[in-house]
Amino acid sequence: MTTEPPYLAIAAEIRRRILAGRLAPGDRVPSTRAITREWGVAMATATKALAALRQEGLVRVEPGVGTVVVDPKRTRHSTTSTLTRTRIVRTALDLADTEGLNAVTMRRLATLLDTSAMALYRHVPGKGELVRLMTDEACGEVPLGPAPTDWRQGLERAARWLREVYARHRWMAQVMASLSRPVLSVNAMAYTEWVLGVLWETPLSPSQKLHAHLTLFAFVQGLAMADDLEEQARLDTGLSDDEWMEQNEPRFDAMQSGGPYPLLDAIAHDGGFELSLESLFEFGLRRTLDGIAALIDETSG
Amino acid sequence: MTTEPPYLAIAAEIRRRILAGRLAPGDRVPSTRAITREWGVAMATATKALAALRQEGLVRVEPGVGTVVVDPKRTRHSTTSTLTRTRIVRTALDLADTEGLNAVTMRRLATLLDTSAMALYRHVPGKGELVRLMTDEACGEVPLGPAPTDWRQGLERAARWLREVYARHRWMAQVMASLSRPVLSVNAMAYTEWVLGVLWETPLSPSQKLHAHLTLFAFVQGLAMADDLEEQARLDTGLSDDEWMEQNEPRFDAMQSGGPYPLLDAIAHDGGFELSLESLFEFGLRRTLDGIAALIDETSG
DNA sequence: ACCTGAACACCGTTCAAGT
DNA sequence: ACCTGAACACCGTTCAAGT
């Protein structure tokens, strides 16, 4: 038996653990750091050992997790579909929807698409532009339909359309809000045009039409931001809203010492009166439309 | 002359450049990378050379910039004020106000406070909690004053209060919005209590009171988000809104091919009818209050 | 008691090199 | 033409060590 290089010996040992089932598919194999400790070798040796296993196809680097055991049953995308801008944008969209915008990193995206991070830059100039493409794609998913003749029905449909887009893609609340630098999105522009068209027959001045549109937009945007923050909190902490409230009860109690809040208390003890973002949307939508109706009455009267 | 170690020779050369004025205070000295290229030495040598200069007090590491020449005139905080939670929070607040929330990193904060990043963790459990402390501090800056007896005046004052808080600290739009997991802030709770108090004498149900409050909150939040995104864009790109518009004109023109937008065009060519977030705030505030007034009339009538 | 340095596991992006 | 690897200059946080 010739003296085997240490890195091969280490790779062999980890291979044995995998084949014996002691390390199941998806499990993390020892990190380079762990290997240096366990075998008393240098980092370079540990890295080489893992690289050998990676080359064999036994393990794979999962960004954000570490090096994990590959599942041999999961038939790897043998039809290595070519990398295209659309494929990148769609994958990024899915990722943002399920794990939040923070999870969309070039490296993570690259492993999902089975390429290197740098290959993405051949199809997309950078992350900023990628996010812009994602918003445009998202705005194109839901059709607006023909504009109703009644301005109120039209504004209401526009608000519901926007709310649905945000509901499908909560992360969009973080990027859509800019008013003076509108998102360079064909589909977002079509939406604005649609709303202005709906208001065209009203006696409002062009400036008032734009203000009316953006008032409703800001309200829906504020709600979407709340939606997004809560979703993000759920993903980050793994806690539901109720669990979070329960866990933070002592802190809320401690804050009571800063002064009594009888009205807030009354509401909290009634369980927030079935307050949901859905009921808030319906309430606020009606109030805002009533307010705009008052202005239109005033102007035409 | 004994053979000087290479790292000392390199340090001496850079020192000469500084003393000769070829490298002025604030200028970047060669990075470790640049040193390896210029002198053909290993990274370890380059690092040791810079460390020597740092120890002398001639240069200092400016996170996000590199190693820069120290200004000897700027009398360094000789009264090394002790590190306290308040001092950390105030410094973080200033930093977020001037450079955005993204600029608030533990390392950056530490150099501003003349300590190591890890020293901060002795006073603050982590970054999330730091941001929470910042919001509470910010909400405490502006006094709400006594509540008016008229609900409409009260709601209006609440909206203006919130808008002022956001105007002073644009980054807050990113963290305040959550409704089901309220920010654990004494001062934010006091604000909610104040608004509910203002609405107490109206004939609205408790649930409607809460909805009315949050409708206005969502609107102001949506506007604040726009403010923040625009500020952030200005900081990131260094472009004013007008410069940005000019630079992106070709892209907007290209989008026209996706369909004609006559109404948007008409507005764009009139310069947006003096649309500003300020005029939008005034417009939307009035509409929302009118809408709530309609509900109150209906309920009491 | 308080602070530090090195390390871990990440980021986006540049650049030179490979097929 | 397309993709890759190494590198740069960062992150937040843990841990063991220093004064």
Side-chain angles (χ1 to χ4, degrees):
Chain A
M1 201 175 172
T2 55
T3 46
E4 199 180 22
Y7 84 91
L8 280 181
I10 296 166
E13 168 57 23
I14 295 174
R15 192 184 306 113
R16 266 192 295 279
R17 293 184 193 173
I18 293 170
L19 297 178
R22 279 197 286 151
L23 286 170
D27 281 359
R28 288 187 55 183
V29 301
S31 64
T32 48
R33 186 75 190 149
I35 291 174
T36 61
R37 272 198 298 265
E38 191 173 340
W39 278 276
V41 293
M43 279 293 276
T45 310
T47 309
K48 272 170 84 176
L50 287 186
L53 292 169
R54 216 162 50 228
Q55 216 126 31
E56 279 182 62
L58 269 174
V59 302
R60 117 190 98 84
V61 176
E62 179 91 345
V65 179
T67 303
V68 298
V69 179
V70 161
D71 187 347
K73 270 169 297 188
R74 273 238 301 261
T75 44
R76 286 214 133 299
H77 259 289
S78 55
T79 54
T80 41
S81 23
T82 49
L83 206 53
T84 63
R85 174 177 276 211
T86 334
R87 216 159 77 82
I88 294 172
V89 172
R90 294 248 168 85
T91 311
L93 213 56
D94 274 359
L95 183 54
D97 290 347
T98 52
E99 299 187 36
L101 197 54
N102 286 340
V104 180
T105 71
M106 300 308 263
R107 289 163 216 253
R108 184 77 193 281
L109 207 47
T111 53
L112 283 176
L113 288 160
D114 260 321
T115 31
S116 72
M118 291 323 298
L120 304 176
Y121 285 85
R122 204 148 292 274
H123 301 89
V124 144
K127 199 182 169 180
E129 181 67 7
L130 174 61
V131 172
R132 199 194 63 68
L133 290 165
M134 286 162 68
T135 28
D136 194 34
E137 179 84 12
C139 287
E141 279 176 0
V142 188
L144 266 162
T149 44
D150 180 46
W151 71 264
R152 186 163 177 138
Q153 273 177 32
L155 274 195
E156 182 172 337
R157 181 161 333 150
R160 291 191 192 282
W161 176 85
L162 191 59
R163 181 136 180 89
E164 187 178 340
V165 172
Y166 280 145
R168 287 158 162 255
H169 312 287
R170 298 176 122 94
W171 52 270
M172 279 182 67
Q174 287 171 57
V175 292
M176 274 281 278
S178 183
L179 301 178
S180 69
R181 303 188 185 196
V183 184
L184 281 154
S185 156
V186 181
N187 293 319
M189 262 175 93
Y191 154 71
T192 308
E193 184 76 11
W194 194 95
V195 179
L196 290 176
V198 148
L199 286 165
W200 216 244
E201 292 306 317
T202 65
L204 296 179
S205 75
S207 169
Q208 285 176 320
K209 288 186 181 102
L210 192 59
H211 280 79
H213 157 52
L214 292 174
T215 295
L216 206 51
F217 176 83
F219 167 69
V220 178
Q221 165 69 33
L223 278 189
M225 197 65 209
D227 263 326
D228 182 51
L229 277 178
E230 278 149 34
E231 171 88 343
Q232 203 57 50
R234 255 193 304 278
L235 288 171
D236 290 350
T237 64
L239 261 52
S240 75
D241 287 350
D242 287 346
E243 288 166 341
W244 183 87
M245 270 296 184
E246 206 169 319
Q247 194 172 302
N248 280 285
E249 211 159 13
R251 302 191 63 181
F252 276 110
D253 287 349
M255 279 167 57
Q256 295 284 358
S257 63
Y261 306 108
L263 310 181
L264 258 174
D265 274 4
I267 283 172
H269 285 102
D270 280 31
F273 305 106
E274 79 274 356
L275 172 80
S276 68
L277 291 174
E278 221 38 67
S279 70
L280 183 53
F281 172 73
E282 297 298 335
F283 180 95
L285 175 59
R286 194 158 310 178
R287 284 339 120 214
T288 308
L289 291 176
D290 281 355
I292 295 168
L295 176 68
I296 289 178
D297 283 355
E298 202 177 289
T299 313
S300 54
Chain B
M1 199 176 173
T2 56
T3 45
E4 198 181 24
Y7 84 93
L8 280 181
I10 296 168
E13 168 57 23
I14 296 175
R15 191 185 304 111
R16 269 192 293 277
R17 293 184 193 173
I18 293 171
L19 298 178
R22 279 196 286 150
L23 285 170
D27 281 359
R28 289 188 55 183
V29 301
S31 64
T32 47
R33 186 74 190 151
I35 291 174
T36 60
R37 272 197 298 263
E38 192 174 340
W39 279 276
V41 294
M43 278 295 276
T45 311
T47 310
K48 270 171 84 176
L50 286 186
L53 292 169
R54 217 162 51 227
Q55 214 124 32
E56 279 181 62
L58 270 173
V59 302
R60 119 189 96 82
V61 175
E62 178 89 348
V65 180
T67 303
V68 298
V69 179
V70 161
D71 188 349
K73 271 170 297 190
R74 273 239 301 262
T75 43
R76 284 216 135 299
H77 259 287
S78 56
T79 53
T80 39
S81 23
T82 49
L83 205 54
T84 62
R85 175 177 275 212
T86 333
R87 216 159 77 82
I88 293 173
V89 173
R90 294 247 168 87
T91 310
L93 213 56
D94 275 358
L95 184 56
D97 290 347
T98 52
E99 299 187 36
L101 196 54
N102 286 340
V104 180
T105 70
M106 301 308 263
R107 288 162 218 251
R108 183 80 190 280
L109 206 47
T111 52
L112 282 176
L113 289 161
D114 260 321
T115 31
S116 71
M118 292 322 298
L120 304 176
Y121 284 86
R122 205 149 292 274
H123 301 90
V124 143
K127 199 183 171 182
E129 181 67 6
L130 174 62
V131 172
R132 201 194 62 70
L133 290 166
M134 287 163 68
T135 20
D136 193 34
E137 178 85 12
C139 287
E141 279 176 0
V142 188
L144 266 162
T149 45
D150 180 47
W151 71 264
R152 187 166 177 136
Q153 272 177 33
L155 274 195
E156 182 171 338
R157 183 163 328 150
R160 290 190 193 284
W161 176 85
L162 190 60
R163 180 137 181 89
E164 188 178 339
V165 172
Y166 280 145
R168 286 157 162 258
H169 311 287
R170 298 175 122 94
W171 52 270
M172 278 181 67
Q174 288 171 57
V175 291
M176 275 282 277
S178 184
L179 301 178
S180 68
R181 303 188 185 195
V183 184
L184 282 153
S185 156
V186 180
N187 293 319
M189 263 175 93
Y191 154 72
T192 308
E193 184 77 12
W194 193 95
V195 179
L196 292 177
V198 149
L199 287 165
W200 215 245
E201 292 305 316
T202 64
L204 296 178
S205 74
S207 167
Q208 286 176 319
K209 288 185 180 105
L210 191 60
H211 279 80
H213 157 52
L214 292 175
T215 295
L216 207 49
F217 176 83
F219 168 68
V220 178
Q221 165 70 34
L223 278 189
M225 197 64 210
D227 264 325
D228 182 52
L229 276 179
E230 277 148 34
E231 171 88 343
Q232 203 56 48
R234 256 193 302 279
L235 289 171
D236 290 349
T237 64
L239 261 51
S240 76
D241 287 350
D242 287 347
E243 288 165 341
W244 182 88
M245 270 295 184
E246 205 168 319
Q247 195 173 301
N248 280 284
E249 211 159 11
R251 300 189 64 180
F252 277 110
D253 287 349
M255 279 166 59
Q256 295 284 358
S257 63
Y261 306 109
L263 311 180
L264 258 173
D265 274 3
I267 282 171
H269 285 102
D270 279 32
F273 307 105
E274 80 273 357
L275 171 80
S276 69
L277 291 173
E278 222 38 68
S279 70
L280 183 53
F281 172 72
E282 297 299 337
F283 181 95
L285 175 59
R286 192 156 312 177
R287 284 339 120 212
T288 308
L289 290 176
D290 281 354
I292 294 169
L295 177 68
I296 289 178
D297 283 355
E298 203 177 290
T299 313
S300 54

